[in-house]
Amino acid sequence: MFKPSWAAVLVASCCFTVQAEESIEHISVYANRTPTTTSEVLASVTVLDRADIVERQAQDLPALLAQLPGVNLSRDGGRGQNSGLYVRGGNSGHTLVLIDGVRSGSATLGYKALAMLPLEFIERIEVIRGPRAAWYGADALSGVIAITTRKVDGAELNANVGSFGQAGADVSLSQQVGELNLSATAGYSRADGFNVRKDLDPDRDGYNQRFAKLAADYQTSLGLWQAQFDINSGFYQFDTAWGTEDQADTLNRSYLVGWQHQLGQWQHQAQLSRVLDDDTPYGPVSRSPFVTERDEFSYQTSSAITENLNWLAGVNWYSENVARSGVNYVTDGRINRALFSGVNFKQGSVQLDGSVRRDLTDEYGGNNTWQLAAGYWFTDAWQLRASRGAAFKAPTFNDLYYPGFSNPELAPETTLSDEIAIHYRVANGSIQLAWFENDVDNLIQYDSVSNQTLNIEQAKISGVELVIEVDVAGIQQSFAYSWIDTENTLTGQRLVRRPENTLNWRAAHSWDKLSAYITADYQSNTYQGEFASSEYLGGFTLWGVGTSYQFSSALTIRAKLDNLFDKKYQSNASYTTAGVNFGLSLSYRPQ
């Protein structure tokens, strides 16, 4: 059971105190497309900076995200293997992933595979729960995960080892030359892994990857100019009952040029990018490449029209193409054009947000999305907010044209979402209680009876989130509870792999040079589907501990144990998961 963490949260909830000084607050960059303190964002947002990411010592990005409110994880094994991420009960493809503001992910798959995106590459993560299609267009039905890659000030070296042959190292450097700042990051990571399906190949399933980034910022009288190049390549191994392919080569490459300029009261921003996503499964007798490319251009401008009213508007254009594949697609490219605009009004205790977007896609014509939100501050500590938003997702190239199960008659998925939340903030912590409901029309799912992808008439997702963060006597505690009810209204069944209850608890304390933490993560049983090897999987609780010690201002060593009590569990039927495992890492930053 989960009694220790329940006790912890009961203690925490009684220990809020009002202090003279306000706590330092995170800034949300992507919730409103402009930097805004999280207390003024009328949405549920979690922000992790680099220090937060490092202190949590997660094994990979999916494991880190699964510790956050409203996020559930389904794994096909361990690090490097495929994982499904469900924000507020939506499909994996219902969460838009932005990397440095650029739409990311495979156009054939329909979402960004996060298992091979190294944490060593990441400076900042922002998770916005709830629809944001009025700002970002298709795919932002359940939320947005916005990732900012690293730009180190000075030099940094990191190295790590762990269970199952895990080992990695990365180095980052930067140099200021007048108004020009140059930075670079390069790294390597690998693991032998473990056998993820014991009923298939009796082998270990590991991964190997290399990654690098080059970036330059140049400040001129005409604004800040930015350019960067990222590459992440490698391979991962997996087990499947569908054929002989049991490995995959991966390559992700992106080019970005950006410009920002403040001209009077007007802030201008433009960005041009190209992203390549290559995932090529192969085996002894076959090879199946899936290579997609996306070119994107965005421009936005914003201004304070009055002391209380801010306005933002912009344009967005992107082209998606299947550059190479092992099968023939009837259509292998499409273009999306969009206009968006929004306002923010704040006076006294009242705040109002509104945004609207018009997308025009080659295959589906126009789609209109919108978002309305209102907030009211009863006191400096208490806030009530409510929002409603519409979103859509176009079918992927695989949904429409992949031979064998595709359906060219599919309609886009559309959603209408509501949220009501109350938030209490004081200097040593905060409490947020949120209710949400998401009605999905034309939900796209594979039907095993007809062997075809179909639109479900309707699905309904509703839930409650409770998030508590508090510092009591130097012990920083965070607690997140989510209750999610999902239903395919055609069959009456729950949507697969969405546990009804999840709990995440973390407590950390720092002494002079030593810090330590303990975590507990629980999820209830999950429906896996009528034809899965196990229709339901049981619930489980995973415990973890970790510590760090700062030998000097330049050198820090960290250690952790995950799945402390060696719990045997599954989050996806047939796939095994890691037992108790350790990690050891070192960070060196010369002063």
Side-chain angles (χ1 to χ4, degrees):
M1 298 296 291
F2 208 77
K3 293 179 181 178
S5 59
W6 274 115
V9 74
L10 289 173
V11 172
S13 63
C14 298
C15 295
F16 288 96
T17 58
V18 178
Q19 300 175 11
E21 296 184 3
E22 294 185 358
S23 58
I24 298 174
E25 195 168 14
H26 282 296
I27 300 294
S28 169
V29 176
Y30 292 95
N32 294 331
R33 295 190 70 105
T34 187
T36 308
T37 59
T38 53
S39 63
E40 294 185 334
V41 174
L42 300 182
S44 298
V45 181
T46 300
V47 177
L48 299 178
D49 58 25
R50 183 61 189 173
D52 298 323
I53 295 170
V54 172
E55 287 171 3
R56 287 177 176 264
Q57 297 193 58
Q59 66 167 327
D60 59 5
L61 179 56
L64 175 65
L65 294 172
Q67 299 175 9
L68 305 183
V71 181
N72 300 123
L73 175 66
S74 170
R75 304 202 74 133
D76 295 355
R79 181 167 176 173
Q81 275 76 47
N82 183 53
S83 58
L85 206 67
Y86 310 103
V87 176
R88 284 192 168 175
N91 290 344
S92 293
H94 290 175
T95 300
L96 175 64
V97 176
L98 301 173
I99 300 180
D100 293 324
V102 175
R103 177 179 292 268
S104 184
S106 164
T108 52
L109 188 62
Y111 59 88
K112 176 66 177 178
L114 299 175
M116 289 289 282
L117 183 59
L119 281 174
E120 296 84 357
F121 220 24
I122 298 174
E123 184 68 27
R124 190 174 187 276
I125 301 172
E126 186 172 330
V127 180
I128 307 151
R129 302 184 296 282
R132 269 304 182 262
W135 283 129
Y136 296 106
D139 305 340
L141 290 80
S142 296
V144 172
I145 298 173
I147 294 169
T148 303
T149 56
R150 301 214 62 195
K151 288 184 180 179
V152 172
D153 182 15
E156 182 176 323
L157 173 67
N158 300 288
N160 66 83
V161 294
S163 298
F164 311 115
Q166 171 66 41
D170 63 273
V171 60
S172 297
L173 302 167
S174 70
Q175 180 66 48
Q176 187 78 34
V177 182
E179 299 298 327
L180 176 66
N181 181 268
L182 302 172
S183 62
T185 296
Y188 171 82
S189 183
R190 54 91 61 201
D192 296 326
F194 55 89
N195 188 8
V196 302
R197 283 197 61 167
K198 296 181 179 179
D199 58 328
L200 298 176
D201 297 334
D203 63 345
R204 290 188 171 192
D205 299 293
Y207 78 96
N208 187 302
Q209 70 179 152
R210 301 161 297 281
F211 52 91
K213 172 181 176 177
L214 299 174
D217 297 347
Y218 185 55
Q219 183 68 57
T220 73
S221 60
L222 297 177
L224 175 65
W225 299 85
Q226 299 171 301
Q228 69 182 51
F229 166 69
D230 301 342
I231 186 168
N232 178 21
S233 65
F235 74 88
Y236 62 92
Q237 298 166 319
F238 59 93
D239 287 343
T240 178
W242 295 105
T244 62
E245 296 174 354
D246 60 358
Q247 297 187 68
D249 288 332
T250 66
L251 172 63
N252 290 273
R253 192 168 58 218
S254 68
Y255 308 85
L256 185 152
V257 177
W259 168 74
Q260 299 178 43
H261 187 43
Q262 182 77 41
L263 186 60
Q265 68 179 24
W266 294 91
Q267 172 68 38
H268 300 274
Q269 182 176 315
Q271 190 164 272
L272 178 66
S273 63
R274 162 165 278 203
V275 177
L276 176 141
D277 188 289
D278 181 349
D279 191 89
T280 303
Y282 64 92
V285 296
S286 61
R287 190 172 183 87
S288 304
F290 292 91
V291 184
T292 63
E293 294 178 333
R294 182 181 294 107
D295 298 312
E296 183 174 6
F297 172 77
S298 293
Y299 166 78
Q300 69 179 50
T301 183
S302 60
S303 177
I305 304 301
T306 68
E307 183 180 354
N308 305 109
L309 180 65
N310 293 284
W311 175 74
L312 185 149
V315 298
N316 176 240
W317 173 96
Y318 60 88
S319 170
E320 297 177 317
N321 297 279
V322 181
R324 185 162 55 92
S325 68
V327 297
N328 292 321
Y329 290 85
V330 175
T331 299
D332 59 7
R334 61 188 177 196
I335 294 175
N336 190 92
R337 298 164 288 274
L339 299 171
F340 57 86
S341 182
V343 294
N344 171 270
F345 175 80
K346 185 175 182 182
Q347 185 169 18
S349 300
V350 176
Q351 181 179 341
L352 301 173
D353 284 350
S355 53
V356 62
R357 177 171 169 133
R358 170 75 171 176
D359 284 87
L360 186 62
T361 308
D362 287 349
E363 295 171 294
Y364 297 105
N367 285 279
N368 298 323
T369 51
W370 52 271
Q371 187 101 27
L372 295 173
Y376 182 78
W377 278 260
F378 296 98
T379 68
D380 290 341
W382 287 97
Q383 180 203 33
L384 176 68
R385 58 178 171 83
S387 64
R388 165 168 280 199
F392 82 101
K393 177 179 178 60
T396 68
F397 286 104
N398 281 355
D399 292 333
L400 293 167
Y401 308 119
Y402 191 87
F405 66 83
S406 60
N407 182 359
E409 303 301 320
L410 288 172
E413 298 172 290
T414 60
T415 65
L416 185 62
S417 302
D418 297 298
E419 181 178 8
I420 300 174
I422 189 164
H423 206 151
Y424 176 66
R425 298 180 181 88
V426 288
N428 70 321
S430 66
I431 301 177
Q432 177 177 280
L433 179 64
W435 167 87
F436 60 88
E437 186 170 271
N438 193 358
D439 292 322
V440 187
D441 289 324
N442 294 321
L443 181 69
I444 297 173
Q445 289 205 348
Y446 172 72
D447 180 67
S448 57
V449 176
S450 63
N451 192 32
Q452 192 176 38
T453 305
L454 299 175
N455 287 115
I456 295 174
E457 182 179 351
Q458 190 179 63
K460 193 179 189 70
I461 302 169
S462 58
V464 174
E465 284 177 3
L466 174 64
V467 181
I468 300 176
E469 295 183 348
V470 63
D471 188 329
V472 182
I475 300 177
Q476 297 176 327
Q477 296 190 66
S478 61
F479 171 86
Y481 166 73
S482 296
W483 171 79
I484 295 179
D485 182 35
T486 65
E487 183 186 12
N488 176 339
T489 54
L490 185 65
T491 64
Q493 281 283 11
R494 291 184 61 87
L495 300 181
V496 299
R497 302 177 191 170
R498 277 77 151 181
E500 185 175 5
N501 297 283
T502 57
L503 293 161
N504 304 96
W505 173 68
R506 186 177 193 273
H509 183 65
S510 296
W511 294 269
D512 182 20
K513 295 183 178 182
L514 177 70
S515 66
Y517 71 81
I518 181 171
T519 62
D521 301 294
Y522 164 81
Q523 75 171 44
S524 59
N525 64 340
T526 56
Y527 175 64
Q528 296 290 304
E530 183 180 357
F531 298 101
S533 58
S534 298
E535 188 173 0
Y536 282 89
L537 293 179
F540 55 86
T541 302
L542 302 179
W543 293 83
V545 294
T547 185
S548 67
Y549 184 79
Q550 188 175 10
F551 283 94
S552 68
S553 59
L555 180 63
T556 301
I557 189 168
R558 298 177 178 87
K560 58 134 184 196
L561 281 173
D562 289 334
N563 195 359
L564 183 61
F565 300 112
D566 199 24
K567 179 70 174 179
K568 307 301 179 185
Y569 71 101
Q570 290 180 309
S571 58
N572 188 0
S574 301
Y575 287 89
T576 60
T577 49
V580 59
N581 61 95
F582 80 93
L584 183 68
S585 63
L586 177 148
S587 297
Y588 178 69
R589 295 198 67 168
Q591 305 299 304

